[in-house]
Amino acid sequence: MANPHPTPAPIPHGSYEPRRDPHSLTSNPDPSKNSSSGVDYEPHPSSSVKISPEHEKIVKAITNLYSGSASEEDMQVYAAESVYDDPWSFCDTRYKIAGQWYGIPKLMASSKTLATEVVSDKPSEIIFKLQQEYTPRVLHFSKPVNSLITLTLDKEGKVKYHKDQWNEKDYSHEGLGKVMKTLNGDHLTKITRPPGDLHTLRPPNEITSLPPAVPSKMQILVIGSMNTDLVTRTSRIPQAGETLTSQSFETGYGGKGANQAVACARLSRHRDAKKPTNIEVKMVGAVGDDNYGHEIIKSLTKDGINCSGVQLAKELNTGTAVIIVEEKTGENRILLSPGANHSLRPRFWGQEEYPEFLKVDVLVLQLEIPQETVKSIVANTSAQVVFNPAPAPDVPLRLEDYTHIEHLIINETETSMISGFPIDFINHEELLPTVAALLHEKGQIWNIVITRGSKGVFYSTVGKQRYDGNERFHGSVKAEEVNVVDTTAAGDTFVGAYAVEVANSVGGKFDLREAVVRANKAAAKTVERKGAQSAIPWLDEMPWS
């Protein structure tokens, strides 16, 4: 199966065009017009050099793109294999570059060109200054930004290298700078969805400006474990060698994958199913060809989940979880026997066997199936990935091996095991931005969410706040005040609710804090009830329904 987004080979240092000397191009004879470093990035239209009509069309198309009015026709000024290089992005195809321009209307309430000045015009190169006024959607104030733009042209007059030096920002291609460039360059197209035709060259008379087709329903695919839960409730956890009489025993359905699928399904629709939903939930996993396995499939189907991707393992038992719940605290202890769940191996992930695997918007993964399988799936999907690496693996998990994850959801124990920081360090909320910064860099991950039980939830994303020379935005949400009965499915409910928010934002703006708030409220509703899947709420039980 061809990789939908193969990891690009590292670009040798010499392949980057050198940073232009802005002094020779922009220094103003009037020292008061220059910055403290002696550079004048502000365009002065009256000083603009004369430019050829062909190059004038290129500059016009580029300024259209900066102004948020991206069209396929404007994008044709780039060669199919072209590079866009700025302090935050490095794109090596026209399609990836389009991801940047199609993102402007999603991030900005407005973006308009205030002035341009061409400072150099050669047959194979155009250099001009540009002043844009941006008004972010969330901040509601306008800010002018000055850029020094260099366009290198190929023999056909197409832009093959677009370097944007704005406000004298640093051009690091290593460290956190590399993280930002990789995220924006390789992943932004999943959110902005530029026209797929930009992958190839087409004659001008075939160019259209139609937006990409939007499916009638967003699709969430959950790949993971499916178990039978054997639940014993007791007044306290027995000591070694001690026998206690339990308060109750019951059999239910669980498994982190199945639980998260149920949470996705229920939190995207009303219980009575009279109101239509815009989300379809699919489940891929394995159960034994036994009574437990057949009953699990029947239960998931009843919740509206498409189980056509669930396979019956003829010679294996259905996975089983033995759960002990302490009645006084609601805390649980779980002993897991994976059974058929561990039959999911990389060889199963071919396009012919699971065609829906390559056609979803959001992919949800955990670690109750083999870690090698999860790595293979992540490397071969173009969907947004929500990864919940739980339970914490015996074999150390290297985020460097999971390079296409947009959303990472972990608890404090998992955070400690993945980051290497001791749990005592992670218990201090003021130190979590440091932990998150490391995880952002190690895994090139957009959004990180750390669930902290009664201490609430910490979240971090690439954006907004300064951190070690890069922009970061982080915050926390307090835990809901509830009467805790059973915490078994709390984490899975959180992940499912979060995935629904991601799916609802496809093609639009994703509000990380709002997603965390809603997931937190859904998980709080779950812990007030007994059971795993039986405790997961429906959308009409939530305040935002």
Side-chain angles (χ1 to χ4, degrees), residues 401-433:
D401 297 334
Y402 298 82
T403 55
H404 297 290
I405 295 172
E406 287 74 24
H407 310 271
L408 178 69
I409 302 177
I410 45 182
N411 65 22
E412 290 176 303
T413 301
E414 293 146 8
T415 302
S416 176
M417 294 187 70
I418 295 170
S419 69
F421 288 103
I423 195 70
D424 290 342
F425 186 95
I426 291 165
N427 282 335
H428 295 280
E429 184 173 333
E430 66 273 15
L431 300 178
L432 288 177

Short mmCIF file of all heavy atoms in Angstrom, two decimals, residues 401-433:
data_model
loop_
_atom_site.label_atom_id
_atom_site.label_comp_id
_atom_site.label_asym_id
_atom_site.label_seq_id
_atom_site.Cartn_x
_atom_site.Cartn_y
_atom_site.Cartn_z
N ASP A 401 8.91 7.95 17.06
CA ASP A 401 8.44 6.93 16.13
C ASP A 401 7.02 7.19 15.65
O ASP A 401 6.50 6.45 14.81
CB ASP A 401 8.49 5.54 16.80
CG ASP A 401 9.90 5.12 17.16
OD1 ASP A 401 10.84 5.60 16.49
OD2 ASP A 401 10.07 4.34 18.11
N TYR A 402 6.37 8.22 16.20
CA TYR A 402 4.98 8.53 15.86
C TYR A 402 4.95 9.96 15.32
O TYR A 402 4.65 10.91 16.04
CB TYR A 402 4.07 8.40 17.08
CG TYR A 402 4.01 7.02 17.68
CD1 TYR A 402 5.00 6.57 18.55
CD2 TYR A 402 2.96 6.15 17.38
CE1 TYR A 402 4.95 5.29 19.10
CE2 TYR A 402 2.91 4.88 17.92
CZ TYR A 402 3.90 4.46 18.78
OH TYR A 402 3.84 3.21 19.33
N THR A 403 5.26 10.11 14.03
CA THR A 403 5.52 11.45 13.50
C THR A 403 4.32 12.09 12.81
O THR A 403 4.47 13.15 12.21
CB THR A 403 6.69 11.39 12.50
OG1 THR A 403 6.37 10.42 11.49
CG2 THR A 403 7.98 11.02 13.19
N HIS A 404 3.15 11.50 12.88
CA HIS A 404 1.99 12.10 12.23
C HIS A 404 0.81 12.14 13.20
O HIS A 404 -0.30 11.75 12.87
CB HIS A 404 1.61 11.32 10.97
CG HIS A 404 2.67 11.33 9.92
ND1 HIS A 404 3.00 12.45 9.21
CD2 HIS A 404 3.50 10.36 9.48
CE1 HIS A 404 3.97 12.17 8.36
NE2 HIS A 404 4.29 10.91 8.51
N ILE A 405 1.05 12.66 14.40
CA ILE A 405 0.01 12.73 15.42
C ILE A 405 -0.35 14.19 15.68
O ILE A 405 0.52 14.99 16.02
CB ILE A 405 0.47 12.05 16.73
CG1 ILE A 405 0.68 10.55 16.50
CG2 ILE A 405 -0.54 12.27 17.85
CD1 ILE A 405 1.31 9.85 17.67
N GLU A 406 -1.62 14.50 15.51
CA GLU A 406 -2.06 15.88 15.77
C GLU A 406 -2.47 16.08 17.23
O GLU A 406 -2.35 17.19 17.75
CB GLU A 406 -3.24 16.23 14.87
CG GLU A 406 -2.88 16.46 13.41
CD GLU A 406 -2.55 15.18 12.66
OE1 GLU A 406 -3.03 14.10 13.08
OE2 GLU A 406 -1.82 15.26 11.66
N HIS A 407 -2.96 15.02 17.90
CA HIS A 407 -3.52 15.15 19.25
C HIS A 407 -3.02 14.01 20.12
O HIS A 407 -3.24 12.84 19.81
CB HIS A 407 -5.05 15.12 19.20
CG HIS A 407 -5.64 16.08 18.20
ND1 HIS A 407 -5.96 17.38 18.50
CD2 HIS A 407 -5.98 15.90 16.88
CE1 HIS A 407 -6.46 17.98 17.43
NE2 HIS A 407 -6.48 17.10 16.44
N LEU A 408 -2.37 14.34 21.23
CA LEU A 408 -1.87 13.35 22.18
C LEU A 408 -2.58 13.56 23.51
O LEU A 408 -2.55 14.65 24.08
CB LEU A 408 -0.36 13.51 22.38
CG LEU A 408 0.31 12.57 23.38
CD1 LEU A 408 0.32 11.13 22.84
CD2 LEU A 408 1.73 13.03 23.70
N ILE A 409 -3.25 12.51 24.02
CA ILE A 409 -3.98 12.58 25.29
C ILE A 409 -3.38 11.54 26.23
O ILE A 409 -3.40 10.33 25.93
CB ILE A 409 -5.48 12.32 25.09
CG1 ILE A 409 -6.07 13.34 24.10
CG2 ILE A 409 -6.22 12.39 26.42
CD1 ILE A 409 -7.54 13.11 23.78
N ILE A 410 -2.84 12.00 27.37
CA ILE A 410 -2.14 11.12 28.30
C ILE A 410 -2.46 11.52 29.74
O ILE A 410 -2.78 12.67 30.01
CB ILE A 410 -0.60 11.19 28.09
CG1 ILE A 410 -0.15 12.66 27.93
CG2 ILE A 410 -0.16 10.38 26.90
CD1 ILE A 410 1.33 12.85 27.68
N ASN A 411 -2.35 10.54 30.66
CA ASN A 411 -2.49 10.89 32.08
C ASN A 411 -1.10 11.12 32.68
O ASN A 411 -0.08 11.07 31.98
CB ASN A 411 -3.28 9.81 32.83
CG ASN A 411 -2.57 8.46 32.86
OD1 ASN A 411 -1.35 8.37 32.70
ND2 ASN A 411 -3.33 7.39 33.08
N GLU A 412 -1.04 11.36 33.97
CA GLU A 412 0.24 11.73 34.59
C GLU A 412 1.24 10.58 34.55
O GLU A 412 2.44 10.80 34.32
CB GLU A 412 -0.01 12.19 36.03
CG GLU A 412 -0.72 13.53 36.12
CD GLU A 412 -1.05 13.92 37.54
OE1 GLU A 412 -1.73 13.13 38.22
OE2 GLU A 412 -0.64 15.00 37.98
N THR A 413 0.78 9.36 34.77
CA THR A 413 1.69 8.22 34.73
C THR A 413 2.29 8.05 33.34
O THR A 413 3.50 7.85 33.17
CB THR A 413 0.95 6.93 35.14
OG1 THR A 413 0.43 7.09 36.46
CG2 THR A 413 1.89 5.73 35.12
N GLU A 414 1.44 8.12 32.32
CA GLU A 414 1.91 8.00 30.94
C GLU A 414 2.83 9.15 30.57
O GLU A 414 3.82 8.96 29.85
CB GLU A 414 0.70 7.94 30.00
CG GLU A 414 -0.11 6.67 30.18
CD GLU A 414 -1.61 6.86 29.96
OE1 GLU A 414 -2.03 7.94 29.52
OE2 GLU A 414 -2.36 5.92 30.27
N THR A 415 2.52 10.34 31.07
CA THR A 415 3.37 11.51 30.81
C THR A 415 4.78 11.27 31.35
O THR A 415 5.77 11.57 30.69
CB THR A 415 2.77 12.77 31.45
OG1 THR A 415 1.46 12.99 30.94
CG2 THR A 415 3.63 13.99 31.16
N SER A 416 4.85 10.73 32.56
CA SER A 416 6.15 10.46 33.18
C SER A 416 6.94 9.43 32.38
O SER A 416 8.13 9.62 32.11
CB SER A 416 5.95 9.96 34.62
OG SER A 416 7.18 9.62 35.20
N MET A 417 6.27 8.37 31.95
CA MET A 417 6.96 7.30 31.23
C MET A 417 7.45 7.76 29.85
O MET A 417 8.53 7.38 29.40
CB MET A 417 6.04 6.09 31.08
CG MET A 417 5.71 5.42 32.39
SD MET A 417 4.80 3.88 32.18
CE MET A 417 6.06 2.83 31.48
N ILE A 418 6.67 8.62 29.19
CA ILE A 418 7.03 9.06 27.85
C ILE A 418 8.08 10.17 27.89
O ILE A 418 9.02 10.20 27.09
CB ILE A 418 5.78 9.54 27.09
CG1 ILE A 418 4.83 8.36 26.86
CG2 ILE A 418 6.17 10.17 25.75
CD1 ILE A 418 3.48 8.76 26.32
N SER A 419 7.92 11.10 28.84
CA SER A 419 8.82 12.26 28.89
C SER A 419 10.12 11.98 29.62
O SER A 419 11.15 12.63 29.37
CB SER A 419 8.12 13.44 29.58
OG SER A 419 7.92 13.17 30.97
N GLY A 420 10.10 11.02 30.58
CA GLY A 420 11.28 10.75 31.40
C GLY A 420 11.33 11.57 32.66
O GLY A 420 12.18 11.36 33.53
N PHE A 421 10.39 12.53 32.82
CA PHE A 421 10.33 13.31 34.05
C PHE A 421 9.69 12.47 35.16
O PHE A 421 8.72 11.75 34.91
CB PHE A 421 9.51 14.58 33.85
CG PHE A 421 10.18 15.64 33.02
CD1 PHE A 421 9.82 15.85 31.70
CD2 PHE A 421 11.19 16.43 33.56
CE1 PHE A 421 10.43 16.81 30.93
CE2 PHE A 421 11.81 17.40 32.80
CZ PHE A 421 11.44 17.60 31.48
N PRO A 422 10.19 12.56 36.40
CA PRO A 422 9.58 11.80 37.49
C PRO A 422 8.17 12.29 37.78
O PRO A 422 7.84 13.45 37.52
CB PRO A 422 10.53 12.06 38.68
CG PRO A 422 11.23 13.33 38.34
CD PRO A 422 11.35 13.35 36.85
N ILE A 423 7.36 11.41 38.34
CA ILE A 423 5.96 11.75 38.61
C ILE A 423 5.85 12.92 39.58
O ILE A 423 4.92 13.74 39.48
CB ILE A 423 5.20 10.51 39.14
CG1 ILE A 423 3.68 10.73 39.08
CG2 ILE A 423 5.64 10.15 40.53
CD1 ILE A 423 3.12 10.74 37.68
N ASP A 424 6.79 13.05 40.53
CA ASP A 424 6.75 14.18 41.46
C ASP A 424 6.91 15.50 40.72
O ASP A 424 6.34 16.52 41.12
CB ASP A 424 7.86 14.04 42.51
CG ASP A 424 7.60 12.91 43.49
OD1 ASP A 424 6.43 12.47 43.55
OD2 ASP A 424 8.54 12.47 44.17
N PHE A 425 7.69 15.51 39.66
CA PHE A 425 7.87 16.71 38.84
C PHE A 425 6.58 17.06 38.12
O PHE A 425 6.14 18.20 38.09
CB PHE A 425 9.00 16.46 37.84
CG PHE A 425 9.40 17.65 37.02
CD1 PHE A 425 10.46 18.45 37.40
CD2 PHE A 425 8.73 17.96 35.85
CE1 PHE A 425 10.84 19.54 36.65
CE2 PHE A 425 9.09 19.05 35.08
CZ PHE A 425 10.15 19.85 35.48
N ILE A 426 5.93 16.04 37.57
CA ILE A 426 4.71 16.25 36.78
C ILE A 426 3.54 16.65 37.66
O ILE A 426 2.59 17.29 37.20
CB ILE A 426 4.41 14.97 35.97
CG1 ILE A 426 5.48 14.81 34.88
CG2 ILE A 426 3.03 14.98 35.34
CD1 ILE A 426 5.55 13.47 34.25
N ASN A 427 3.59 16.32 38.94
CA ASN A 427 2.52 16.71 39.86
C ASN A 427 2.44 18.21 40.07
O ASN A 427 1.42 18.73 40.54
CB ASN A 427 2.72 16.03 41.22
CG ASN A 427 2.28 14.59 41.21
OD1 ASN A 427 1.44 14.20 40.39
ND2 ASN A 427 2.84 13.77 42.08
N HIS A 428 3.50 18.95 39.69
CA HIS A 428 3.51 20.41 39.84
C HIS A 428 3.03 21.05 38.54
O HIS A 428 3.73 21.00 37.53
CB HIS A 428 4.91 20.91 40.19
CG HIS A 428 5.40 20.44 41.53
ND1 HIS A 428 5.02 21.04 42.72
CD2 HIS A 428 6.21 19.41 41.88
CE1 HIS A 428 5.59 20.41 43.73
NE2 HIS A 428 6.32 19.41 43.24
N GLU A 429 1.85 21.67 38.58
CA GLU A 429 1.27 22.22 37.35
C GLU A 429 2.15 23.28 36.71
O GLU A 429 2.21 23.38 35.48
CB GLU A 429 -0.11 22.82 37.65
CG GLU A 429 -0.81 23.32 36.39
CD GLU A 429 -2.24 23.77 36.65
OE1 GLU A 429 -2.85 23.26 37.61
OE2 GLU A 429 -2.72 24.62 35.89
N GLU A 430 2.87 24.06 37.53
CA GLU A 430 3.69 25.13 36.96
C GLU A 430 4.85 24.58 36.14
O GLU A 430 5.47 25.32 35.35
CB GLU A 430 4.22 26.04 38.08
CG GLU A 430 5.20 25.40 39.04
CD GLU A 430 4.53 24.69 40.22
OE1 GLU A 430 3.31 24.44 40.13
OE2 GLU A 430 5.23 24.40 41.20
N LEU A 431 5.16 23.28 36.29
CA LEU A 431 6.26 22.68 35.52
C LEU A 431 5.77 21.98 34.26
O LEU A 431 6.58 21.57 33.42
CB LEU A 431 7.01 21.68 36.40
CG LEU A 431 7.65 22.25 37.68
CD1 LEU A 431 8.32 21.14 38.48
CD2 LEU A 431 8.65 23.34 37.34
N LEU A 432 4.45 21.85 34.10
CA LEU A 432 3.93 21.11 32.95
C LEU A 432 4.23 21.77 31.60
O LEU A 432 4.40 21.06 30.60
CB LEU A 432 2.42 20.89 33.12
CG LEU A 432 2.04 19.86 34.19
CD1 LEU A 432 0.53 19.76 34.33
CD2 LEU A 432 2.64 18.50 33.88
N PRO A 433 4.30 23.12 31.52
CA PRO A 433 4.70 23.69 30.22
C PRO A 433 6.07 23.21 29.76
O PRO A 433 6.29 23.01 28.55
CB PRO A 433 4.70 25.20 30.48
CG PRO A 433 3.70 25.38 31.59
CD PRO A 433 3.86 24.17 32.46
#
